[in-house]
Amino acid sequence: QVQLVESGGGLVQAGGSLRLSCAASGSIFSIKTMGWYRQAPGKQRELVATITSDDSTNYVDSVKGRFTISRDNAKNTVSLQMNSLNPEDTAVYYCYVLMRRLAISYNYWGQGTQVTVSS
């Protein structure tokens, strides 16, 4: 059993910043990838940023240069620093973990945290 607990969402004005954090707990084996996805009303869920166990990162083009993803392997946490936010960043943000055990992959999702950016 793995649980993902998210924090840091909220309301911010355009140009402001927020920092999202996610902590994984429970039966942790080998976490290969941690990251964040987001979903706005009426739209499909999209990748925001991911970070692998060797610190390789991936970002959606729209957030490059504004968002920074990081992880703390000792604490099994991942964070997303979001700067220069704009209204198009408004969405529910979901923490994501890819874990592997005995050559089997397991995907876990957090419950989501609302990020609202006002114009």
Side-chain angles (χ1 to χ4, degrees):
Q1 183 181 13
V2 173
Q3 298 287 334
L4 303 181
V5 180
E6 301 152 319
S7 62
L11 174 65
V12 66
Q13 293 191 155
S17 298
L18 285 173
R19 184 177 179 86
L20 305 182
S21 295
C22 175
S25 63
S27 185
I28 305 298
F29 296 95
S30 179
I31 297 178
K32 297 299 182 182
T33 302
M34 304 186 78
W36 295 90
Y37 287 70
R38 67 186 181 187
Q39 186 169 27
K43 297 183 179 180
Q44 66 182 31
R45 188 175 298 185
E46 69 170 351
L47 168 76
V48 179
T50 59
I51 183 167
T52 64
S53 57
D54 62 352
D55 294 325
S56 177
T57 59
N58 184 34
Y59 299 90
V60 65
D61 286 344
S62 61
V63 310
K64 289 180 179 178
R66 300 188 298 120
F67 291 9
T68 302
I69 189 169
S70 61
R71 65 186 290 172
D72 185 332
N73 293 331
K75 298 180 180 180
N76 293 317
T77 60
V78 61
S79 297
L80 184 69
Q81 179 66 46
M82 305 184 294
N83 298 326
S84 301
L85 287 162
N86 60 65
E88 293 186 342
D89 296 316
T90 295
V92 177
Y93 285 69
Y94 297 90
C95 179
Y96 167 78
V97 168
L98 171 62
M99 187 179 74
R100 291 202 175 107
R101 179 177 182 270
L102 301 177
I104 301 174
S105 296
Y106 302 86
N107 296 286
Y108 300 95
W109 295 89
Q111 293 298 307
T113 183
Q114 178 71 46
V115 171
T116 302
V117 184
S118 62
S119 59

